[in-house]
Amino acid sequence: MAGGDTGVMVSPRAGGFRGYFHDPDEIFAEFADAGLTEPARYGLEGAFWLYGDVDDWLDDGERRELLLAAARRLESVPSLLGVSGHLLAVAHA
């Protein structure tokens, strides 16, 4: 269950996991606390996970290239990061 305003999610299954939800802008402070600056942020799925037929797009060579080109252009747009189910942040030490 999600922990309300805490951002903590605890799996209801025995032996489950604990997850931590973040707002994409929280990444900057967490990386700074770790001594890392200016992380690059990427939305891994982008909005494309919302496509009901994304597998069909990926199976078709021409449409796959269109989808991947769009994903590359949008993966780091700050206003779109929150639509992705997963966020990757990368910085150099």
Side-chain angles (χ1 to χ4, degrees), residues 10-84:
V10 178
S11 171
R13 296 182 181 160
F17 61 91
R18 181 178 303 263
Y20 300 91
F21 295 102
H22 291 78
D23 180 285
D25 289 335
E26 291 175 329
I27 297 295
F28 295 113
E30 291 186 14
F31 272 57
D33 288 348
L36 302 168
T37 58
E38 300 182 32
R41 300 171 303 164
Y42 302 94
L44 298 183
E45 296 90 357
F48 302 108
W49 68 275
L50 296 169
Y51 282 29
D53 62 347
V54 72
D55 289 334
D56 293 337
W57 278 74
L58 293 171
D59 288 340
D60 178 300
E62 287 183 39
R63 291 196 309 169
R64 178 178 51 245
E65 290 307 315
L66 288 171
L67 184 76
L68 293 176
R72 287 181 196 106
R73 291 185 67 135
L74 301 174
E75 69 187 1
S76 294
V77 174
S79 63
L80 297 176
L81 290 173
V83 75
S84 188

